[in-house]
């Protein structure tokens, strides 16, 4: 029983990460019908940048080791900010080099170009940081908190809290503000949005910046629980993509739901047979897509005949 | 490359492959040649799926694994003959191809990419985690390689073997893609609904394309396992799937694309392997910029270049002059004046909107029927129900003695119900002649094997189809446009090409959805004659149209819909006087039908030529 509760907590933390990245996929997909297949590499790059930021702030140089007392909350927050800004800029660069040339063309050329962008980012990061994993302690320490007998890491609570807050903010912005209305208008119909005086290119660039920043945020949140490395991104991004597809790529709330669902399934299956985690997740996704191709909360777009 | 030039090219390549192992004994070079062959094999099949059928797969490493592990397990555990195990690898991969195709049929775009990624990852995890059977990272040693005359294959024999396989694959896939199956794949790629409307089973075509790509990918895996005499889970990665897809996209969708892609990328892979960093950067840059610089891949770029340098080469083959006028097959079987289609109580609702509300209709053989009504009356929905694209919630449709409710659109099309679309659904990148030949798909008896092997019967059927397509184009006055790209024609002619494509299915009943929309007055007048000519062939016509002068001029019978309900039907003259019809079109302040002027409305309806 305690073990199940424990799995629920870590599943929620993992799910928060997937949900954040999935939300990033949703934002670019709803505005441009494209998404970044190199998101995992961006996530990893953002994370190692942030970890290096903490090291520099702690006066450890680029390649030191971090002790728990080096990671104070403000250092963590400042590097998070740096990583989010850098990734936002990378997102803009990604849009102009890999996405814009292919928007509106048939086929999925952008799948290949964004993959290529990711490979280049990954290899640049590899040249700077090398392949080994970097350990970063949690800014909240690792004194386990007991809830109903199950141990929870403070970082896990931070992950869930931060991701929920960010998602609530985004959801509110999208539904309540003028800029959110502009984004939704672009998502529905670019031409009509332009005619209404909305600066469509700006909205689209903003979408890519937010999407990449979310990946950076997710990376630094998970790093103290796992580790940070140049290769950490692929599996997170794949599962986040799965989460988005399962929840409904065109529905932001569906993406969040999918993220938490996947995180919970993963940690529950891990409790039972750790090696079956990936297999069961992807089998589940294939099953969901066969039964409901548009995702759990997605809406079917009918082709006009 | 046509005919002789192609044969010459194949002979030169065959000689080069035969001679290569004598020119160099260097094991590294021979291995690179072998790898080019393997990558070509995998890419050639994947090109059918990705380049022609338009289904992007990011999971073909999984199928590669199926082939590799099938030979590995069969030769090491069960002691199978290596040749048999090699064949079994292809068969097994083909079966898995069906498996991966089934979910892939339901989803498109990013979700399809997800399903294939998921498949690849599941296979990758199975072979790395299920140690008892697949031995994980440690791998399976002692995989048997085929032997010839008692001697196991050496470097030379492997080059020859893969060369023979590659040439055979090239010949078969070229023959397949140039025939009716190739056209069906392209049709599915550009417009699925239109492909169904001419009787092509979209599902079947996709499964077929998946299986073709799976078989060649599985054979590629078997080749690697047998040549190395070893396979481990390290071979099976997401990157391998991307590499295969990169070969196809970088090379281009022409039959020569995978070859060019395999040569360039294998060489790059082999010679940059010493600097993994540079290698990865190069891949990244290729993925990022290649499609931007060369949207149609290397093969497309070269073709474009040669067209510019030697314009003479680009001249299309001469159109065969049509011999005799086109005739509808089996038209005499249907007696005139009998009901051809009878629909009863058709009902369809989308939430609260009811576009089709208990509609009964009867279409008589040899007549021209028109379906009119204000915008939003449910005309197109009714057409979609009749052609099987939209399933009705209730009601029955009997067409030529068969109940067609619930049948797939392609089955209904095969029964003799053809249609055109309000929003044009042409195969825009194909020539006009090819568009019409797609329409002839079901008329050609060529079987899959016959098309794959390029048997004389298949070639003969192709010639007949081209000749018949030319006749149909001639019938519609499009004879001089045969070799133009359908998408490049003016709008009015595109509409006529769609009509030609629908006629090519030899329909008993032809549904025309606003054939005059967007036509100028001259073209509209011509259309009246064309529709009359079609009726004279023995084809029954159901027409949706807003041009009332056209409707009144040619219809034998008019059905009027409003808000999903049939409000009137009868001869054109009766309809023009019907007060309910006049009210539907012009609105009525006074519901009393007797209050209207009986002369004026004719002119009103005639001028109500809105476009919907």
């Amino acid at each position: 029983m305690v073990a199940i509760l424990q799995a629920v907590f870590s599943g929620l933390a993992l799910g928060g990460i997937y949900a954040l990245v999935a939300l990033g996929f949703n934002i670019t997909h709803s505005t441009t019908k494209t998404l970044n297949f190199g998101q995992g590499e961006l996530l990893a790059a953002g994370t190692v940048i942030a970890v290096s930021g903490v090291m520099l702030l702690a006066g450890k140089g680029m390649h030191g080791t971090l002790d728990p007392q080096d990671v104070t909350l403000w250092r963590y927050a400042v590097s998070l900010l740096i990583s989010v800004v850098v990734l936002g800029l990378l997102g803009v660069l990604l849009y102009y080099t890999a996405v814009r040339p292919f928007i509106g063309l048939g086929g999925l050329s952008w799948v290949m170009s964004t993959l290529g962008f990711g490979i280049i980012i990954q290899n640049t990061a590899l040249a700077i940081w090398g392949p080994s994993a970097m350990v970063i302690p949690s800014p909240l320490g690792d004194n386990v908190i007991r809830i109903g007998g199950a141990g929870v890491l403070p970082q896990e609570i931070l992950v869930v809290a931060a991701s929920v807050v960010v998602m609530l903010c985004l959801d509110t912005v999208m539904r309540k503000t003028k800029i959110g209305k502009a984004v939704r208008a672009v998502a529905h119909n670019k031409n009509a949005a332009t005619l209404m005086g909305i600066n469509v290119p700006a909205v689209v660039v903003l979408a890519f910046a937010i999407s990449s920043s979310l990946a950076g945020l997710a990376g630094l949140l998970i790093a103290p629980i796992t580790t940070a490395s140049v290769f950490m991104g692929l599996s997170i991004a794949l599962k986040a993509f799965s989460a988005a597809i399962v929840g409904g790529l065109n529905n932001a709330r569906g993406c969040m739901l999918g993220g938490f669902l996947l995180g919970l399934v993963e940690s529950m299956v891990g409790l039972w047979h750790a090696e079956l985690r990936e297999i069961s997740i992807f089998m589940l996704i294939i099953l969901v897509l066969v039964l409901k191709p548009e995702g759990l909360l997605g809406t079917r777009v009918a082709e006009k005949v | 490359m046509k005919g002789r030039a192609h044969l010459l090219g194949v002979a030169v390549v065959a000689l080069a492959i035969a001679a290569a192992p004598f020119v160099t004994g260097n094991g590294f070079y021979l291995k690179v040649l072998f790898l080019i062959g393997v990558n070509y094999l995998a890419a050639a099949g994947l090109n059918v799926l990705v380049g022609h059928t338009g289904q992007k797969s990011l999971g073909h490493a999984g199928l590669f694994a199926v082939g590799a592990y099938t030979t590995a397990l069969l030769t090491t555990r069960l002691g199978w003959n290596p040749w048999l195990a090699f064949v079994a690898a292809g068969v097994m991969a083909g079966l898995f191809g069906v498996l991966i195709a089934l979910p892939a049929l339901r989803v498109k775009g990013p979700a399809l990419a997800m399903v294939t990624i998921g498949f690849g990852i599941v296979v990758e995890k199975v072979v790395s985690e299920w140690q008892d059977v697949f031995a994980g990272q440690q791998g399976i040693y002692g995989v048997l390689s085929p032997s010839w005359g008692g001697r196991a294959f050496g470097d030379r024999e492997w080059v020859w073997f893969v060369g023979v396989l590659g040439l055979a694959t090239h010949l078969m896939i070229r023959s397949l893609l140039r025939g009716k199956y190739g056209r069906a794949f392209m049709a599915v790629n550009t417009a699925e609904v239109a492909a169904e409307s001419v009787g092509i089973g979209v599902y079947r075509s996709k499964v077929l394309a998946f299986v073709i790509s799976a078989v060649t990918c599985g054979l590629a895996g078997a080749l690697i396992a047998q040549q190395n005499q070893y396979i481990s889970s390290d071979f099976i990665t997401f990157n391998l799937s991307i590499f295969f897809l990169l070969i196809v996209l970088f090379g281009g969708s022409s039959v020569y694309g995978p070859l060019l892609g395999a040569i360039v990328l294998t060489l790059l892979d082999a010679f940059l392997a010493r600097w993994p960093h540079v290698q990865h950067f190069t891949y990244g840059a290729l993925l990022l910029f290649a499609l931007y610089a060369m949207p149609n891949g290397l093969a497309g770029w070269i073709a474009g270049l040669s067209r510019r340098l030697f314009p003479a080469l680009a001249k299309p083959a001469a159109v065969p002059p049509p011999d005799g006028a086109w005739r509808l097959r089996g038209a005499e079987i249907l007696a005139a004046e009998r009901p051809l289609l009878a629909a009863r109580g058709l009902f369809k609702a989308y939430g609260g909107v009811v576009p089709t509300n208990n509609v009964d209709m009867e279409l008589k053989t040899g007549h021209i029927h028109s379906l009119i009504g204000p915008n939003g009356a449910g005309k197109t929905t009714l057409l979609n129900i009749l052609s099987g694209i939209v399933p009705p919630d209730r009601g029955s449709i009997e067409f030529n003695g068969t109940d067609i409710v619930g049948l797939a659109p392609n089955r209904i099309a095969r029964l003799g119900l053809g249609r055109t679309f309000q929003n044009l659904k042409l195969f825009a990148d194909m020539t006009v002649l090819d568009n019409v030949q797609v329409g002839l798909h079901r008329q050609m008896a060529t079987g899959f094997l016959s098309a794959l092997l390029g048997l004389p019967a298949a070639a003969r059927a192709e010639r007949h189809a081209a000749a018949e397509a030319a006749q149909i184009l001639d019938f519609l006055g499009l004879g001089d446009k045969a070799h133009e790209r359908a998408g490049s024609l003016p709008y009015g002619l595109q509409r006529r090409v769609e009509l030609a494509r629908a006629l090519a299915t030899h329909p008993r009943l032809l549904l025309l959805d606003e054939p005059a929309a967007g036509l100028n007055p001259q073209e509209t007048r011509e259309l009246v004659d064309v529709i009359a000519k079609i009726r004279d062939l023995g084809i029954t016509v159901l027409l949706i149209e807003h041009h009332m002068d056209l409707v009144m001029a040619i219809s034998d019978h008019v059905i009027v819909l409003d808000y999903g309900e049939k409000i009137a039907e009868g001869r054109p003259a009766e309809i023009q006087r019907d007060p309910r019809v006049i009210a539907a079109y012009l609105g009525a302040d006074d519901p009393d039908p007797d209050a209207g002027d009986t002369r004026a409305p004719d002119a009103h309806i005639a001028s109500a030529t809105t476009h919907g």
Side-chain angles (χ1 to χ4, degrees):
Chain A
M1 197 54 225
V2 172
I4 290 178
L5 198 60
Q6 183 104 41
V8 168
F9 287 134
S10 54
L12 283 178
L14 212 50
I17 300 298
Y18 297 157
L20 280 179
V21 181
L23 199 55
F25 286 137
N26 160 260
I27 291 171
T28 61
H29 187 262
S30 56
T31 46
T32 60
K33 295 282 170 288
T34 66
L35 43 89
N36 177 13
F37 271 76
Q39 195 81 325
E41 282 71 35
L42 284 191
L43 180 150
T47 312
V48 290
I49 288 172
V51 173
S52 291
V54 175
M55 284 183 189
L56 289 176
L57 289 172
K60 291 269 181 154
M62 277 279 285
H63 295 280
T65 33
L66 285 169
D67 298 320
Q69 65 270 22
D70 293 333
V71 189
T72 58
L73 208 48
W74 77 267
R75 280 177 192 157
Y76 188 77
V78 169
S79 5
L80 184 67
L81 197 67
I82 296 171
S83 135
V84 163
V85 169
V86 171
L87 274 199
L89 293 176
L90 277 180
V92 175
L93 185 66
L94 167 89
Y95 169 70
Y96 281 108
T97 54
V99 177
R100 207 172 74 144
F102 303 113
I103 281 188
L105 295 184
L108 298 173
S109 308
W110 51 269
V111 172
M112 302 314 279
S113 59
T114 55
L115 272 172
F117 189 87
I119 292 177
I120 290 176
I121 294 291
Q122 183 176 53
N123 282 283
T124 312
L126 204 55
I128 302 173
W129 284 279
S132 52
M134 300 152 89
V135 177
I136 172 171
S138 165
L140 303 179
D142 25 285
N143 298 322
V144 174
I145 301 164
R146 293 274 157 201
I147 300 177
V152 185
L153 290 172
Q155 183 71 21
E156 289 179 339
I157 296 175
L158 179 66
V159 170
V160 176
S163 55
V164 168
V165 166
V166 168
M167 284 183 253
L168 284 180
C169 286
L170 266 178
D171 199 64
T172 315
V173 167
M174 282 296 176
R175 278 161 207 277
K176 297 279 156 71
T177 66
K178 202 172 146 190
I179 183 128
K181 211 178 271 177
V183 173
R184 282 188 293 143
V186 172
H188 277 291
N189 188 332
K190 278 198 190 52
N191 290 334
T194 306
L195 290 174
M196 293 306 113
I198 292 170
N199 186 345
V200 172
V203 168
V204 169
V205 167
L206 180 72
F208 272 86
I210 293 176
S211 167
S212 307
S213 310
L214 285 175
L217 173 67
L220 190 59
L221 283 175
I222 192 83
I225 297 176
T226 58
T227 50
S229 94
V230 174
F231 301 111
M232 70 187 285
L234 181 64
S235 92
I236 296 180
L238 268 180
K239 284 175 202 157
F241 181 43
S242 319
I245 299 275
V246 164
L249 191 50
N250 56 13
N251 182 315
R253 289 177 178 177
C255 287
M256 300 178 210
L257 173 76
F260 283 108
L261 199 67
L262 227 65
L264 284 174
V265 169
E266 183 175 343
S267 73
M268 289 298 178
V269 174
L271 204 63
W272 169 53
H273 261 306
E275 71 276 12
L276 289 183
R277 272 183 318 196
E278 262 88 10
I279 297 180
S280 48
I281 285 183
F282 286 104
M283 296 291 248
L284 177 79
I285 288 152
I286 293 175
L287 192 72
V288 168
L289 285 179
V290 169
L291 297 176
K292 205 162 184 306
E294 64 276 14
L296 294 175
L297 296 189
T299 43
R300 184 173 292 210
V301 187
E303 187 186 5
K304 188 157 166 45
V305 180
Chain B
M1 269 191 258
K2 309 250 150 44
R4 271 190 213 143
H6 174 254
L7 271 184
L8 190 69
V10 168
V12 168
V13 171
L15 274 179
I17 293 170
F22 295 114
V23 175
T24 174
N26 183 323
F28 175 69
Y29 292 146
L30 289 179
K31 175 89 194 226
V32 170
L33 270 180
F34 169 75
L35 287 175
I36 289 178
V38 171
N39 288 332
Y40 166 70
L41 201 61
L46 191 57
N47 184 34
V48 174
L49 181 70
V50 174
H52 290 257
T53 319
Q55 308 294 302
K56 301 283 181 290
S57 165
L58 284 164
H60 266 56
L63 295 163
F64 179 91
V66 169
Y69 278 93
T70 303
T71 43
L73 292 176
L74 285 179
T75 57
T76 58
R77 303 279 156 86
L78 300 178
W80 277 41
N81 176 304
W83 288 103
L84 264 178
F86 180 74
V87 173
V91 174
M92 198 66 170
L95 292 176
F96 270 83
V98 176
L99 193 71
I100 176 175
L102 291 179
L105 295 174
R106 306 245 317 153
V107 295
K108 287 180 189 167
L112 174 63
M114 185 68 244
V115 168
T116 56
I117 290 174
F119 170 77
I121 288 184
V122 168
V123 171
E124 181 186 333
K125 293 291 166 191
V126 165
V127 296
S128 57
E129 306 284 351
W130 197 353
Q131 307 259 349
D132 297 345
V133 179
F134 299 103
Q137 273 192 314
Q138 215 181 13
I140 301 173
Y141 289 88
V143 180
L144 291 182
S145 71
S147 52
W148 189 259
R151 272 186 37 223
F153 276 14
D155 289 341
R156 281 179 180 183
E157 287 79 10
W158 275 116
V159 170
W160 286 331
F161 182 43
V162 89
V164 169
L165 277 176
L167 279 173
T169 307
H170 164 73
L171 289 173
M172 287 196 270
I173 286 185
R174 178 174 182 269
S175 155
L176 190 71
L177 291 179
R178 289 162 67 94
K180 71 177 224 189
Y181 288 94
R183 284 191 300 268
F185 290 143
M186 285 306 283
V188 169
N189 188 354
T190 16
E192 293 188 2
V193 179
E196 284 273 331
S197 82
V198 296
I200 294 171
V202 168
Y203 280 23
R204 267 183 59 124
S205 301
K206 285 186 186 174
V207 172
L208 190 61
F210 263 104
V211 169
I212 291 171
S213 70
V215 169
T216 67
C217 224
L219 290 180
L223 283 169
I224 290 291
Q226 292 190 319
Q227 201 265 349
N228 288 317
Q229 305 191 351
Y230 167 73
I231 186 76
S232 80
S233 64
D234 288 345
F235 284 80
I236 315 305
T237 61
F238 183 50
N239 286 336
L240 183 67
S241 296
I242 295 178
F243 184 69
F244 286 150
L245 192 55
L246 180 60
I247 295 178
V248 171
L249 293 180
F250 177 72
S253 65
S254 130
V255 278
Y256 304 102
L259 182 62
L260 292 171
I263 292 174
V264 172
L265 290 174
T266 314
L267 289 179
L268 213 62
D269 197 54
F271 292 108
L272 293 182
R274 262 173 285 177
W275 306 283
H277 222 77
V278 182
Q279 190 189 22
H280 284 122
F281 262 109
T282 318
Y283 282 154
L286 276 181
L287 281 165
L288 186 50
F289 296 116
L291 289 171
Y292 182 53
M294 305 181 293
N296 298 317
L298 199 52
W301 183 72
I302 292 176
L305 202 66
S306 66
R307 259 199 302 278
R308 238 174 301 145
L309 295 179
F310 313 102
L313 283 178
K315 222 170 64 185
V319 197
D323 44 348
W326 184 64
R327 286 264 157 268
L328 191 71
R329 273 197 277 280
E332 60 286 347
I333 302 168
L334 297 181
E337 299 293 327
R338 293 258 306 283
L340 177 63
L341 180 141
R344 277 183 236 308
L346 287 180
F347 182 88
K348 177 76 193 174
Y350 295 102
V353 184
V354 186
T356 309
N357 195 353
N358 290 321
V359 174
D360 296 331
M361 66 193 294
E362 193 173 280
L363 305 182
K364 276 197 189 130
T365 307
H367 283 204
I368 294 176
H369 301 266
S370 287
L371 188 57
I372 65 169
N375 285 328
K379 303 182 296 292
T380 295
T381 304
L382 187 55
L383 226 59
N384 287 344
I385 290 176
L386 293 182
S387 54
I389 293 168
V390 172
D393 297 338
R394 285 199 299 274
S396 70
I397 309 167
E398 191 175 302
F399 173 60
N400 204 6
T402 316
D403 179 18
I404 58 170
V405 172
L407 291 187
N410 76 77
R411 297 286 306 280
I412 296 176
R414 277 185 245 168
L415 290 173
L417 196 151
R419 71 166 291 177
T420 65
F421 297 89
Q422 182 182 351
N423 305 316
L424 282 172
K425 300 215 175 287
L426 275 180
F427 309 123
D429 287 328
M430 294 192 206
T431 64
V432 170
L433 192 71
D434 277 345
N435 266 277
V436 180
Q437 280 187 269
V438 173
L440 287 166
H441 185 82
R442 298 301 314 177
Q443 306 296 321
M444 300 173 66
T446 315
F448 177 70
L449 274 184
S450 167
L452 189 67
L453 300 175
L455 297 184
R460 209 162 40 236
E462 275 301 309
R463 277 197 306 277
H464 283 308
E468 188 181 349
Q471 283 180 351
I472 296 171
L473 289 177
D474 196 53
F475 176 75
L476 291 176
L478 287 166
D480 54 334
K481 301 285 188 285
H483 285 290
E484 295 198 29
R485 215 174 62 85
S488 70
L489 293 179
Y491 193 74
L493 290 183
Q494 292 196 19
R495 283 217 169 272
R496 206 174 286 182
V497 174
E498 221 184 42
L499 192 56
R501 184 181 68 192
L503 279 181
T505 64
H506 288 259
R508 297 280 164 265
L509 172 62
L510 188 57
L511 310 180
L512 304 175
D513 196 350
E514 299 201 20
L519 300 193
N520 64 35
Q522 169 66 25
E523 289 170 325
T524 310
R525 276 193 297 279
E526 286 171 18
L527 185 65
V528 175
D529 298 337
V530 167
I531 294 175
K533 266 168 78 182
I534 290 173
R535 178 201 47 208
D536 294 343
L537 286 172
I539 298 173
T540 311
V541 176
L542 175 64
L543 170 83
I544 292 183
E545 203 30 84
H546 283 296
H547 286 77
M548 288 306 152
D549 32 2
L550 187 153
V551 170
M552 299 306 165
I554 56 170
S555 306
D556 299 307
H557 178 242
V558 179
I559 300 167
V560 190
L561 284 187
D562 192 24
Y563 292 108
E565 288 180 57
K566 187 171 78 179
I567 57 170
E569 66 178 316
R571 294 218 308 278
E574 297 162 15
I575 292 300
Q576 276 170 312
R577 282 192 301 271
D578 192 302
R580 277 170 305 172
V581 178
I582 295 160
Y585 267 91
L586 302 175
D589 296 330
D590 187 350
D592 181 4
D594 300 327
D597 182 341
T598 48
R599 274 176 300 121
D602 295 17
H604 286 301
I605 293 185
S607 63
T609 56
T610 46
H611 302 274

